[in-house]
Amino acid sequence: MTDAHPLPFVDLKRQQEQVRPQIDAAITRVLDHGQYVLGPEVRELEKQLADFCGAPFALSCASGTDALLLALMAKDVGHGDAIFVPAFTFVATAEVVTLLHAKPVFVDIDADTYLMNMESLEAAIGESKKQGLTPRAIMPVDLFGQPADYEKIERIAKAHGLFVVADAAQSFGATRGGKRVGTLAPVTATSFFPPKPLGCYGDGGAVFTDDGEMLEVMQSLRVHGQGKDKYDNVRIGINGRLDTIQAAILLEKLAIFEGEIAARQRVAERYNAALGDVVQTPVVEPGATCVWAQYTIRAKTRDQVAAKLKDQGIPTAIYYPIPLHRQVAYKKFPVAPGGLPVSDKMAGEVLSLPMHPYLSEPDQNRIINAVKSACAS
Ligand SMILES: *Cc1c(COP(=O)(O)O)cnc(C)c1O
């Protein structure tokens, strides 16, 4: 107990120290020009986000949730539609489906990667038809920062006439097959909620697409379904814009993001090497890279491990303690035939460790040693 100062789970303060003068100056510029909504920084950010990942189009918006919503609204998702989502995810993935009066159909995940399981997906598509629903879209989640296998998913989508929306709220900056998130699916939604790999200082999000027509529809939806201007309403939309100040902050954070991804990678590699024999460490599939929104281990004695770490000033988190198909508000929706045994099991065993680009080696060692001793006793 020599070194018991509590560690942060995500250290946004240390990050801010890297860019504070730039962020102060960026905010001051916005205060000076006064274009708080859809100011020049918003367009600049969209351009730089698209360049960063190689997507033809990026559209910023008010949150990751709105990003998902805009994508589904642009595709006219509505009553009677079935949208296939993993149950082991943050609630927003299914929430946007229900807001449009469509039905989320819950799919199981793979135990090693926490990504959507393809057999469960196929079975869920069959089940939705049996229940008289119209299968419309697959919304895989890049859980913990690893992109789903969009090639496989796209094949299943094609075979059933579905479209794919990537919930990449946790994975901006990651790659698969050498391509960056934002280009792996026809439409990709991400989040800039503060602790996400690329975060702002409030709520924010973006949608990426290669479809210019869809971009225009989402642009309109983002501002109340505007036509020529916001007093010409050609469709029903939302107020889903990103604040200019948040865009200005994101531009400064994007400038150091590449280095932060590499630093996250180094932390994950040290965790992997040190903990691989002690607990189930996360698996990144061949050809994929992860941005480690979470570093999640698994232990049968999860609650004891968490308690012991807490005693030593090491915070942990459980993503996710209750899968969506078990949530009060969501248990009425269909699940893949046979249930979701992996999601149920994972909910009892997962534990996320502190993970951020500024986690020092001594602090990493402290966490590693604490996990080892918690698992040994
Ligand atoms: C964070 C998150 C969202 C929602 O993003 P917000 O910006 O908080 O609205 C959606 N899906 C997943 C998987 C997330 O982790």
Side-chain angles (χ1 to χ4, degrees):
M1 301 294 107
T2 48
D3 185 21
H5 69 274
L7 295 177
F9 187 67
V10 174
D11 196 343
L12 292 176
K13 255 199 168 134
R14 283 281 311 280
Q15 185 200 44
Q16 192 182 94
E17 287 165 10
Q18 318 298 312
V19 284
R20 182 61 188 257
Q22 294 92 309
I23 285 180
D24 282 340
I27 292 174
T28 300
R29 282 195 297 274
V30 178
L31 298 183
D32 286 346
H33 70 54
Q35 296 176 57
Y36 306 124
V37 175
L38 297 183
E41 285 84 355
V42 172
R43 242 145 301 137
E44 178 61 24
L45 176 70
E46 288 169 345
K47 185 180 164 293
Q48 289 196 24
L49 288 172
D51 287 350
F52 183 86
C53 64
F57 306 111
L59 184 75
S60 65
C61 60
S63 66
T65 306
D66 276 1
L68 292 167
L69 189 61
L70 287 168
L72 295 183
M73 287 174 84
K75 295 283 191 180
D76 278 323
V77 165
H79 184 78
D81 289 345
I83 312 291
F84 304 94
V85 300
F88 200 69
T89 178
F90 182 60
V91 67
T93 315
E95 178 184 50
V96 291
V97 175
T98 59
L99 285 174
L100 297 174
H101 307 288
K103 279 218 165 65
V105 180
F106 292 117
V107 176
D108 212 358
I109 54 166
D110 284 330
D112 47 354
T113 60
Y114 308 103
L115 300 173
M116 197 182 244
N117 175 276
M118 296 302 124
E119 288 79 50
S120 181
L121 171 61
E122 296 261 22
I125 294 170
E127 177 66 21
S128 71
K129 289 179 186 161
K130 258 192 231 154
Q131 296 197 13
L133 298 166
T134 308
R136 283 293 311 280
I138 307 170
M139 278 198 352
V141 176
D142 299 346
L143 205 72
F144 303 145
Q146 173 172 204
D149 190 340
Y150 289 99
E151 272 184 24
K152 269 192 203 152
I153 291 164
E154 197 60 54
R155 244 175 278 142
I156 294 174
K158 273 224 173 80
H160 295 274
L162 312 178
F163 65 91
V164 177
V165 175
D167 181 345
Q170 302 183 4
S171 65
F172 189 64
T175 65
R176 202 180 257 267
K179 287 164 65 183
R180 261 201 161 131
V181 164
T183 66
L184 298 172
V187 193
T188 301
T190 198
S191 164
F192 304 126
F193 185 67
K196 305 273 170 159
L198 178 64
C200 56
Y201 290 148
D203 281 304
V207 197
F208 301 87
T209 183
D210 58 3
D211 179 341
E213 253 170 63
M214 190 174 176
L215 174 80
E216 275 179 31
V217 175
M218 292 191 295
Q219 249 159 356
S220 160
L221 288 166
R222 184 177 66 166
V223 191
H224 306 290
Q226 73 175 14
K228 292 192 302 294
D229 59 54
K230 69 180 159 189
Y231 305 108
D232 173 34
N233 310 112
V234 298
R235 52 175 68 80
I236 293 169
I238 60 173
N239 175 357
R241 296 164 300 216
L242 179 73
D243 292 342
T244 308
I245 285 182
Q246 298 302 344
I249 290 163
L250 280 165
L251 281 166
E252 301 308 327
K253 291 220 204 176
L254 186 59
I256 58 166
F257 188 45
E258 203 80 73
E260 290 187 339
I261 294 173
R264 286 173 176 279
Q265 192 56 39
R266 284 192 295 275
V267 176
E269 276 162 18
R270 288 192 84 242
Y271 276 160
N272 283 342
L275 297 175
D277 296 337
V278 187
V279 291
Q280 175 69 50
T281 50
V283 174
V284 177
E285 290 186 324
T289 65
C290 183
V291 287
W292 305 104
Q294 305 299 340
Y295 185 92
T296 303
I297 59 170
R298 227 151 66 219
K300 292 248 165 10
T301 56
R302 189 261 316 273
D303 292 337
Q304 284 145 265
V305 173
K308 283 183 183 150
L309 293 182
K310 187 164 178 245
D311 283 346
Q312 298 183 46
I314 299 170
T316 57
I318 297 172
Y319 302 111
Y320 293 91
I322 307 174
L324 297 185
H325 67 296
R326 305 270 177 213
Q327 297 279 356
V328 170
Y330 290 88
K331 60 187 178 199
K332 61 179 179 234
F333 296 113
V335 300
L340 311 179
V342 181
S343 300
D344 284 330
K345 182 162 182 275
M346 295 303 114
E349 296 182 5
V350 287
L351 188 68
S352 301
L353 302 180
M355 164 56 80
H356 59 83
Y358 303 97
L359 194 61
S360 70
E361 288 202 5
D363 285 346
Q364 292 169 33
N365 293 341
R366 190 176 143 196
I367 294 161
I368 287 165
N369 291 334
V371 172
K372 281 185 175 167
S373 76
C375 290
S377 51

